[in-house]
Amino acid sequence: MAGPGRDTSTICLFDVDGTLTPSRQSIKPHVDDFLHKLAEKVLVGLVGGSDFVKIAEQMDGHEDIRKRFDYVFAENGLVAFRGTTQIGQQNLKKFVGEEILQKLINFALRYMSKLVLPCKRGTFIEFRSSMINICPVGRSCTQEERDEFVKFDEEHRVRDKFVEALRAAFPDAGLTFSIGGQISIDVFPEGWDKRYCLQYLEQDGVKTIHFFGDKVEKGGNDHEIFEDPRTVGHKVSNPDDTVQQLKELFFS
């Protein structure tokens, strides 16, 4: 990603939504340019809850992000790349089993059928290779509809209550229910949160891991890796805040 002279024992590892990009939108050019400069100093990696295709789209999709970043960890690191080489892949169906998956999906669909929201669109459940993404408003909503749901959710705690119901319904299933992004809930086996990617960095001899994320509070999908003793956690509020914190850390 960059030439010699940089510290390859240190990595800046970034959440995507709300950290490098506005949620589910593309990275802004000035943030993208800054990451190029950062890569001259340290390793740079991504760890997102979305699948690889969505992450690539948000990082502007104009080049192979596996060449652009030292590490790309999609689906919390359950789909893992070091450069262009795939180094990890987990499978939710094999790990959990069809019976539990169907019970979970049926419960979620029943629960969402009773919700009254500002709007409902399509793709309420998205099955990824390593997790299930549950979206009460529907992932095909427009940006305007997404923003409307965000305000509604902040007031009525739709996702918080949904997570509580899921935990109560599946207490012994070995599953984690985590609020992800602006509009959805991620479901995956315990231990398959973003900490999962750290094993690859440890194996490669990375000594210092700076993690930047916005959903670091308990219940957010950045919480576990932010709190992990193997990382130096940085809470950010938006992409510009991320850039500002990086300037203070590496360019002051």
Side-chain angles (χ1 to χ4, degrees), residues 142-212:
T142 65
Q143 185 62 46
E144 184 179 355
E145 291 164 344
R146 172 189 284 264
D147 294 341
E148 191 176 13
F149 174 79
V150 169
K151 293 178 183 177
F152 187 86
D153 189 37
E154 287 174 352
E155 181 179 352
H156 297 282
R157 298 180 56 248
V158 174
R159 290 185 296 166
D160 287 335
K161 294 173 184 176
F162 199 168
V163 165
E164 290 170 7
L166 286 163
R167 287 173 178 159
F170 298 92
D172 303 314
L175 295 172
T176 294
F177 304 96
S178 178
I179 291 175
Q182 290 183 306
I183 59 174
S184 60
I185 296 165
D186 292 330
V187 184
F188 45 83
E190 291 174 0
W192 285 20
D193 53 65
K194 289 181 178 177
R195 291 175 297 182
Y196 195 88
C197 74
L198 299 179
Q199 61 184 301
Y200 300 112
L201 301 177
E202 289 184 305
Q203 290 167 10
D204 288 352
V206 179
K207 303 298 183 187
T208 305
I209 303 168
H210 290 276
F211 171 75
F212 296 80

Side-chain angles (χ1 to χ4, degrees), residues 98-108 110 170:
E98 186 65 33
E99 182 181 357
I100 291 178
L101 288 179
Q102 286 204 31
K103 286 180 178 178
L104 170 68
I105 290 169
N106 289 342
F107 177 90
R110 282 196 302 271
F170 298 92

Side-chain angles (χ1 to χ4, degrees), residues 19-20 27-36 68 239-240 243:
T19 300
L20 291 181
I27 191 169
K28 302 299 183 186
H30 72 282
V31 179
D32 192 42
D33 290 344
F34 186 82
L35 292 180
H36 278 285
R68 168 84 169 76
D240 286 333
V243 170

Side-chain angles (χ1 to χ4, degrees), residues 2-22:
R6 62 177 179 156
D7 178 7
T8 56
S9 69
T10 298
I11 188 169
C12 286
L13 187 62
F14 298 97
D15 165 56
V16 179
D17 275 355
T19 300
L20 291 181
T21 78

Side-chain angles (χ1 to χ4, degrees), residues 108-109 111-126 133-141 145 149 152-153 157-163 166 178-180 182-186:
L109 289 172
Y111 186 96
M112 287 187 287
S113 73
K114 299 173 185 177
L115 292 176
V116 179
L117 306 174
C119 69
K120 286 186 178 180
R121 295 300 175 252
T123 314
F124 300 101
I125 293 182
E126 185 174 81
N133 183 266
I134 301 173
C135 183
V137 68
R139 296 196 66 86
S140 63
C141 62
E145 291 164 344
F149 174 79
F152 187 86
D153 189 37
R157 298 180 56 248
V158 174
R159 290 185 296 166
D160 287 335
K161 294 173 184 176
F162 199 168
V163 165
L166 286 163
S178 178
I179 291 175
Q182 290 183 306
I183 59 174
S184 60
I185 296 165
D186 292 330

